[in-house]
Amino acid sequence: MEDRQLSEIDTLYMEYKKFLFGLAYQMLGTISDAEDVIQDVYLRIQHYEPSQIRNAKAFLAKITLNRCLDQLRSTQKKRELYVGAWLPEPLLKDLTSNDPEETILQRENISYALLTLLEQLNPVERAVFLLREVFDFDYSDINTIVGKTPSNCRKIHSRAKEKLHHEEHLAKEPTETEYFVQMFIDAIQLGQIDNFVQLLTEDAVMYSDGGGRVKAAVRPIVSRKYIAQFIAGLLHKNKEYMEAAQIYPVQMNGETGLVIINGSQLVGFLALRITNNQIQEIYLILNPDKLAQVAKTLNVTVSV
């Protein structure tokens, strides 16, 4: 009897594992923490009888979100002391995988830009926004998951959308961001900086995340003018290095980003926020800790 029940629990977990990972990743912004959370969820549900579980998806979502909220509380101080901009880890598409659930995971993925913007929300707002906007839960289920009344959940959802200025939550098709990424690659490899700069809004912002581990701009670089100067200076100071580097597009968070590889070492990752057919924000991740999963997917090591 016990073996049968454990088997049912295991089957239930496997059925929703991709969903739980997607929820945890979009709550936390880090892949390793999301993996730890869903492993902890697996251990916790072993104590439940299958007959106790009525709405499996909502039940598992509640346990996952509670664990995520605990994780966010424990990391709050670390993020406050973080050197420079804190950016989420990118989630690369595994092109070698034939798992259809990989496609589902990418389809339910929010854009990297919105994943970054979610940092403006408090944890409960973030949870309600994701459950409603990304995973299409009814308010009657959301209130059970987050412990708020349905009317309160509606208010929280509305407030979260207002903070995000009604930003589109789903990732753009990779082809929609591919052109902008290629223009950046041309700017670096061919020196065509002006063509790329013209794609920036006047008030564009560039964020660099080195985490105090590697050299990076501690403060955001604001405006088309100063971003152009930064890129020009980067190329001038590191001409031979950049000419030797491999820079190519990758599919990440449902969109197109790019990686910078020198030899067999991953140096950096870049993503863009596109609004009204122009680049509003540039995100450059250089922190080796946040490149580990990207490097693993690409079968390279991380530059430290």
Side-chain angles (χ1 to χ4, degrees):
M1 183 67 173
E2 182 180 359
D3 290 341
R4 186 185 64 80
Q5 290 174 343
L6 286 176
S7 177
E8 288 179 15
I9 288 292
D10 290 347
T11 300
L12 187 69
Y13 175 77
M14 293 306 298
E15 180 180 353
Y16 291 104
K17 184 178 180 181
K18 290 289 185 182
F19 156 69
L20 298 178
F21 172 79
L23 178 59
Y25 166 65
Q26 292 175 51
M27 276 295 295
L28 302 173
T30 52
I31 296 169
S32 58
D33 286 342
E35 290 174 338
D36 289 343
V37 162
I38 65 169
Q39 177 61 27
D40 188 55
V41 169
Y42 173 74
L43 295 175
R44 292 188 183 201
I45 64 174
Q46 298 300 321
H47 303 290
Y48 286 85
E49 296 283 346
S51 59
Q52 294 178 287
I53 305 170
R54 295 183 179 179
N55 184 333
K57 192 172 184 180
F59 165 76
L60 292 170
K62 182 174 183 176
I63 296 177
T64 301
L65 282 175
N66 284 339
R67 185 66 186 85
C68 286
L69 294 176
D70 290 342
Q71 181 69 20
L72 288 171
R73 280 190 286 268
S74 68
T75 59
Q76 182 179 2
K77 192 64 177 179
K78 291 181 180 179
R79 292 195 184 183
E80 290 174 357
L81 299 175
Y82 196 81
V83 178
W86 187 95
L87 295 176
E89 288 184 41
L91 181 63
L92 261 63
K93 181 177 182 180
D94 186 357
L95 297 177
T96 64
S97 174
N98 295 319
D99 186 353
E101 291 188 349
E102 175 75 19
T103 302
I104 295 173
L105 178 62
Q106 289 294 323
R107 188 169 64 241
E108 290 186 333
N109 217 341
I110 58 177
S111 69
Y112 184 83
L114 184 54
L115 191 63
T116 301
L117 292 174
L118 287 181
E119 292 300 310
Q120 300 175 21
L121 306 181
N122 66 46
V124 174
E125 289 172 340
R126 188 165 182 155
V128 171
F129 178 85
L130 290 172
L131 290 172
R132 183 62 180 164
E133 290 289 318
V134 181
F135 300 106
D136 200 29
F137 275 82
D138 292 331
Y139 286 112
S140 58
D141 288 327
I142 295 174
N143 87 290
T144 301
I145 294 170
V146 300
K148 307 286 183 181
T149 65
S151 61
N152 200 358
C153 288
R154 285 188 176 89
K155 291 178 182 177
I156 293 170
H157 177 234
S158 178
R159 185 169 65 240
K161 290 190 71 173
E162 191 65 32
K163 286 184 179 182
L164 299 173
H165 304 292
H166 303 285
E167 185 82 18
E168 286 186 22
H169 65 272
L170 292 178
K172 294 178 173 62
E173 290 296 324
T175 51
E176 294 183 58
T177 46
E178 202 171 82
Y179 169 75
F180 296 92
V181 168
Q182 188 58 52
M183 291 296 284
F184 183 86
I185 293 173
D186 291 345
I188 299 298
Q189 294 184 327
L190 306 177
Q192 297 176 355
I193 299 175
D194 291 343
N195 292 342
F196 174 75
V197 169
Q198 291 306 309
L199 299 175
L200 301 173
T201 62
E202 287 289 348
D203 60 347
V205 184
M206 183 173 186
Y207 299 93
S208 299
D209 182 347
R213 296 283 311 279
V214 297
K215 188 176 181 181
V218 176
R219 295 182 176 84
I221 301 170
V222 182
S223 84
R224 175 193 290 173
K225 174 184 175 182
Y226 290 115
I227 293 174
Q229 290 178 359
F230 175 81
I231 295 175
L234 183 70
L235 293 178
H236 178 72
K237 294 177 182 178
N238 304 277
K239 185 177 180 181
E240 292 184 3
Y241 181 87
M242 295 308 296
E243 286 178 349
Q246 296 176 312
I247 307 175
Y248 57 86
V250 291
Q251 289 189 37
M252 43 64 68
N253 295 78
E255 300 183 332
T256 302
L258 67 84
V259 292
I260 305 170
I261 295 176
N262 186 31
S264 62
Q265 292 189 318
L266 178 64
V267 177
F269 170 88
L270 182 138
L272 304 171
R273 177 187 172 198
I274 312 297
T275 56
N276 299 321
N277 215 34
Q278 281 191 293
I279 299 171
Q280 182 66 52
E281 294 180 340
I282 302 173
Y283 311 104
L284 179 62
I285 298 179
L286 301 169
N287 184 346
D289 294 337
K290 295 185 179 182
L291 295 174
Q293 290 293 333
V294 175
K296 182 179 179 181
T297 302
L298 297 174
N299 197 28
V300 295
T301 57
V302 180
S303 176
V304 293

